[in-house]
């Protein structure tokens, strides 16, 4: 991922984004070198990312222990109109762009079939995503035989993180007036992605 210095985020911020989004695209290659990708819920714990996919998904069959993998976690994003820049009225040398938050995690991937490992991962993912619910559902709420049959239909995945790339493209290379115009423009939209980017830009301005 191309990450200019002004848009790079540190590992703590990258972990926060992965936790907030809670899902990512695992990209690997098949034996012929063709890319394969699956979106799945993920947890980043220590130096590993844990996840699972359906056993019917053919992607895992081309993964052997140590297969290189890339987990792409994408946050909010929004189109940025040049009409929002104050500099448009000054010189007109402006073009559209796209603001976004993203994290790329790369490293070797391992497939797991052990039912107890799968149960631990499924329980951890469930507890994470159910945590904000007033009456959270737990894996133990379902019948044991149903859980066993469900675990038999999935495989576990573990990506050992060797490289972290985090990017917050939030118009940091624009003037203060241009950034203020972008935030105002985004605030006028009804798109939730635009609202989230405006919030991220305000936060970046405060932290900067």
């Amino acid at each position: 991922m191309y990450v200019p210095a002004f848009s790079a985020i540190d590992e703590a911020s990258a972990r926060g984004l992965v936790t907030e989004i809670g899902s990512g695209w695992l990209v690997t290659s098949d034996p012929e070198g063709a890319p394969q990708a699956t979106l799945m819920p993920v947890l980043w714990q220590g130096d590993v990312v844990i996840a699972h996919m359906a056993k019917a998904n053919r992607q895992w069959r081309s993964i052997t222990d140590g297969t290189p993998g890339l987990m792409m976690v994408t946050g909010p994003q929004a189109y940025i109109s040049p009409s929002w820049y104050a500099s448009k009225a000054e010189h007109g040398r402006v073009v559209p762009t796209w603001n976004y938050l993203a994290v790329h995690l790369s490293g070797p991937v391992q497939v797991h079939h052990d039912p107890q490992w799968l149960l631990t991962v499924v329980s951890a993912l469930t507890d994470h995503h159910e945590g904000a619910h007033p009456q959270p559902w737990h894996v133990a709420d379902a019948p044991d035989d149903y859980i066993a049959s469900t675990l038999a239909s999935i495989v576990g995945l573990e990506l050992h993180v060797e490289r972290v790339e985090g990017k917050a493209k939030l118009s940091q290379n624009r003037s203060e007036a241009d950034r203020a115009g972008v935030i105002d423009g985004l605030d006028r939209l009804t798109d939730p992605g635009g609202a989230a980017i405006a919030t991220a830009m305000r936060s970046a301005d405060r932290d900067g």
Side-chain angles (χ1 to χ4, degrees):
M1 178 166 57
Y2 170 57
V3 186
F6 61 77
S7 62
I9 60 176
D10 59 22
E11 183 172 320
S13 298
R15 285 181 179 272
L17 182 62
V18 172
T19 298
E20 178 183 352
I21 301 303
S23 65
W25 289 93
L26 175 64
V27 183
T28 57
S29 298
D30 68 14
E32 287 71 44
Q36 299 177 303
T38 300
L39 179 66
M40 62 191 74
V42 299
L43 279 179
W44 185 3
Q45 300 178 329
D47 61 353
V48 299
V49 174
I50 55 175
H52 62 81
M53 67 170 57
K55 191 171 286 185
N57 187 330
R58 292 182 296 176
Q59 182 179 358
W60 72 267
R61 297 183 182 278
S62 62
I63 299 175
T64 57
D65 286 354
T67 292
L70 170 65
M71 182 68 68
M72 301 189 302
V73 178
T74 57
Q77 52 186 295
Y79 171 79
I80 306 302
S81 171
S83 65
W84 296 337
Y85 294 145
S87 55
K88 174 181 178 294
E90 297 172 12
H91 49 67
R93 296 190 297 274
V94 292
V95 293
T97 191
W98 202 269
N99 280 3
Y100 59 89
L101 301 173
V103 172
H104 287 186
L105 307 173
S106 53
V109 183
Q110 183 177 4
V111 176
H112 290 274
H113 297 276
D114 177 65
Q116 188 56 52
W117 193 95
L118 291 168
L119 178 60
T120 299
V121 168
V122 168
S123 298
L125 284 163
T126 300
D127 291 345
H128 172 69
H129 291 287
E130 289 280 338
H133 293 199
Q135 295 181 312
W137 182 87
H138 301 283
V139 172
D141 293 343
D144 290 344
D145 59 343
Y146 178 75
I147 294 301
S149 65
T150 299
L151 294 178
S153 69
I154 64 175
V155 297
L157 295 160
E158 189 173 20
L159 184 147
H160 295 264
V161 180
E162 293 182 343
R163 184 178 183 184
V164 179
E165 296 176 297
K167 183 174 183 178
K169 184 177 179 297
L170 301 172
S171 301
Q172 296 98 325
N173 59 327
R174 306 299 309 189
S175 67
E176 183 177 346
D178 279 355
R179 287 173 55 79
V182 169
I183 292 173
D184 182 64
L186 292 171
D187 283 341
R188 296 173 185 272
L189 303 178
T190 58
D191 172 44
I197 289 296
T199 297
M201 290 181 67
R202 289 190 181 92
S203 178
D205 286 343
R206 289 194 300 269
D207 294 343

